[in-house]
Amino acid sequence: MTIGDMVDILKARVLLGEDKLDTPVYTACCSDLMSDVLAFVDEKTVLITGLTNPHVIRTSEMLDLKCLVFARGKVPSDDILESAEEQGLVVITTKATAFSACGMLYEKGLRGVPVPLEWDKEGKEGA
Amino acid sequence: MEALIHEVYPVASADYTSAGHASADIKKKLKMLGVGGDVLRRVAVASYEVELNLVIHSQGGHLDLNVFPDRVELVSEDVGPGIPDLSLAMREGWSTANEEARSLGFGAGMGLPNMKRNADEFDIQSEVGKGTVIRMGFRLA
């Protein structure tokens, strides 16, 4: 799947990065908790979020994310978009809620970022 | 061994607007030195986490970057309040962050464990009433 495919699936509006829609998308992550995003996500992941504060952009910068999807039609303020542009992020917004956006993308084959859990390790040890 | 880069970034308590500026600069400097890929991302994530911790939890402090030919070192030092129970603080999901930090998407109790996960070497020393020192090392190549 490419970012462009996501735009079609989510009937999304492209706020930034119209020229990068052919970028491939491998996994997705949906969270308003930047702490969790920082803990588990890698650069090949698309972030779907309802948060529109500057730390979403900063978090994306630290992780080298390529694309941000704002749910529920949210559009970040101009200064936030400016800093996203400086980083070359693709930013899109969809009318769908975060839950629905995830469902629509999952239905078309996109999967979540693999997250190693402590209890997986425990399970293996116990087995 | 002499450091190729030595930078000290002061970090103010509760300054949520500037939080992340030091980490962005650290990432930029390392990139210019040719550090990339996995190490760069691990340093960036750990430095952002530790910088946020200074903003959210400390009464002010500084974040130091030392770059050697074979390793990157990050040292965070604050002036308090110190962590009463380090083993609790290192537990995923444990957090004492306030509402403001949480409203920005932080304070999920992932910071310290995430720093430890990303760094090749991690050490934390804390004394209540004095402050906390976190040292992280990252091997280059």
Side-chain angles (χ1 to χ4, degrees):
Chain A
M1 188 181 291
T2 64
I3 296 176
D5 295 330
M6 286 181 55
V7 171
D8 293 339
I9 294 165
L10 298 172
K11 298 186 177 60
R13 188 149 68 87
V14 181
L15 301 175
L16 283 176
E18 193 81 54
D19 56 326
K20 296 179 191 133
L21 298 184
D22 55 354
T23 308
V25 172
Y26 300 96
T27 53
C29 160
C30 177
S31 185
D32 288 349
L33 265 183
M34 293 305 110
S35 303
D36 271 359
V37 176
L38 281 165
F40 299 121
V41 168
D42 67 27
E43 83 280 10
K44 288 172 182 158
T45 302
V46 168
L47 172 61
I48 301 156
T49 185
L51 267 192
T52 54
N53 70 51
H55 288 287
V56 176
I57 311 297
R58 195 65 87 192
T59 299
S60 309
E61 180 181 1
M62 294 307 145
L63 293 165
D64 291 323
L65 298 188
K66 307 285 183 281
C67 178
L68 278 177
V69 181
F70 290 106
R72 218 154 49 76
K74 289 186 181 178
V75 176
S77 62
D78 288 348
D79 53 330
I80 291 174
L81 280 176
E82 253 171 53
S83 67
E85 192 168 21
E86 278 168 25
Q87 285 173 52
L89 270 174
V90 181
V91 178
I92 67 177
T93 182
T94 172
K95 280 183 182 169
T97 62
F99 175 83
S100 298
C102 293
M104 290 149 94
L105 295 170
Y106 193 95
E107 198 179 21
K108 297 289 181 186
L110 191 61
R111 292 294 178 264
V113 59
V115 175
L117 292 176
E118 281 304 312
W119 64 7
D120 290 342
K121 283 186 225 155
E122 284 160 20
K124 267 178 207 156
E125 278 162 16
Chain B
M1 206 183 299
E2 203 175 320
L4 302 171
I5 295 180
H6 171 67
E7 278 287 339
V8 177
Y9 301 89
V11 181
S13 176
D15 184 0
Y16 293 96
T17 321
S18 305
H21 284 186
S23 304
D25 193 67
I26 287 170
K27 191 175 181 193
K28 202 170 75 188
K29 283 201 161 67
L30 292 176
K31 225 177 189 171
M32 276 166 62
L33 275 182
V35 180
D38 175 60
V39 186
L40 181 64
R41 196 169 48 253
R42 287 192 290 115
V43 175
V45 168
S47 95
Y48 189 39
E49 289 279 21
V50 81
E51 186 181 358
L52 281 163
N53 264 20
L54 284 170
V55 170
I56 296 169
H57 299 287
S58 87
Q59 292 158 349
H62 56 93
L63 174 58
D64 299 1
L65 166 73
N66 296 305
V67 185
F68 301 96
D70 60 342
R71 65 194 293 272
V72 175
E73 186 184 76
L74 292 175
V75 182
S76 151
E77 199 167 355
D78 65 45
V79 295
I83 303 168
D85 186 339
L86 271 183
S87 62
L88 208 51
M90 288 303 299
R91 193 185 294 173
E92 280 192 1
W94 171 263
S95 177
T96 56
N98 62 18
E99 258 324 295
E100 189 172 11
R102 288 174 198 267
S103 72
L104 292 171
F106 299 104
M110 300 302 293
L112 288 172
N114 200 22
M115 286 172 220
K116 194 176 175 188
R117 187 166 32 231
N118 279 289
D120 295 313
E121 300 145 38
F122 177 88
D123 177 65
I124 181 166
Q125 305 289 335
S126 192
E127 197 176 328
V128 174
K130 281 205 164 164
T132 302
V133 180
I134 297 172
R135 289 175 187 278
M136 291 181 277
F138 306 81
R139 282 187 297 275
L140 293 175

